């Protein structure tokens, strides 16, 4: 855990914020470890369990995180979040969407294809990733 003491300039706070996006393990219940991700917001940080994340949507240099509880505005690009979550069950289905494959409810091949997520969002799939997505969905 990092603690900032005394007066800090906005530049040092920004550097700290850029370094903060990370996946951390915390003691869980009998299931073992609960994985949480620390994500910067406009006013601090959100610490969210990875299993509760449904999807991310890009909003320019910000990202909106959708969980089962609520939505969060994250001060990170979707690309940065995608890199942090590499190795977990997340997949970039479109330039604006990163989804948790464990939260997919329905997949439709019609047209370019789309996914229905646990929050009932109907998301488009890029034609460039459609074949790779189908492979990943078959492995779940």
């Amino acid at each position: 855990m990092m603690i900032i003491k005394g007066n800090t300039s906005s530049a040092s706070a920004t550097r700290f914020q850029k370094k903060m996006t990370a996946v951390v393990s915390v003691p869980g219940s009998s299931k073992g470890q609960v994985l949480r991700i620390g994500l910067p917001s406009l006013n601090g940080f959100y610490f969210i369990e990875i299993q509760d994340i449904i999807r991310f949507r890009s909003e320019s240099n910000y990202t909106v995180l959708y969980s089962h509880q609520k939505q969060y505005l994250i001060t990170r690009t979707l690309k940065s979040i995608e890199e942090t979550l590499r190795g977990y069950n997340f997949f970039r289905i479109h330039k604006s969407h990163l989804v948790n494959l464990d939260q997919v409810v329905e997949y439709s091949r019609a047209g370019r294809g789309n996914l229905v997520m646990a929050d009932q969002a109907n998301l488009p799939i890029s034609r460039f990733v459609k074949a790779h997505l189908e492979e990943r969905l078959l492995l779940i």
Side-chain angles (χ1 to χ4, degrees):
M1 182 168 100
M2 183 178 280
I3 300 172
I4 299 177
K5 295 182 180 180
N7 292 335
T8 58
S9 69
S10 63
S12 66
T14 301
R15 283 192 304 274
F16 170 73
Q17 190 176 27
K18 286 183 179 180
K19 293 178 183 177
M20 188 56 195
T21 304
V23 176
V24 295
S25 295
V26 295
S29 61
S30 60
K31 297 177 186 175
Q33 296 287 324
V34 175
L35 294 176
R36 297 187 336 164
I37 185 169
L39 294 166
S41 70
L42 294 172
N43 298 318
F45 298 92
Y46 299 117
F47 294 94
I48 302 161
E49 291 183 14
I50 292 177
Q51 66 192 19
D52 290 338
I53 299 171
I54 298 171
R55 62 190 175 97
F56 296 92
R57 180 177 49 86
S58 175
E59 286 286 329
S60 187
N61 285 330
Y62 296 96
T63 301
V64 179
L65 180 154
Y66 294 84
S67 75
H68 290 285
Q69 292 77 29
K70 64 182 211 175
Q71 298 175 18
Y72 303 89
L73 182 64
I74 308 300
T75 57
R76 279 285 162 273
T77 63
L78 190 59
K79 180 179 180 179
S80 171
I81 293 170
E82 179 182 18
E83 290 170 1
T84 301
L85 291 171
R86 186 160 282 132
Y88 295 91
N89 207 20
F90 286 82
F91 190 84
R92 184 86 173 257
I93 62 167
H94 188 272
K95 66 180 178 179
S96 300
H97 300 285
L98 176 68
V99 300
N100 182 346
L101 293 177
D102 295 328
Q103 301 290 334
V104 173
V105 174
E106 182 181 339
Y107 168 63
S108 172
R109 290 184 181 160
R112 288 176 57 184
N114 62 21
L115 289 179
V116 176
M117 303 302 295
D119 64 349
Q120 300 307 306
N122 193 345
L123 306 176
I125 300 169
S126 168
R127 62 184 171 176
F128 302 109
V129 301
K130 188 175 178 180
H132 186 60
L133 174 64
E134 288 179 359
E135 290 174 13
R136 288 282 304 270
L137 288 173
L138 290 174
L139 297 176
I140 295 178

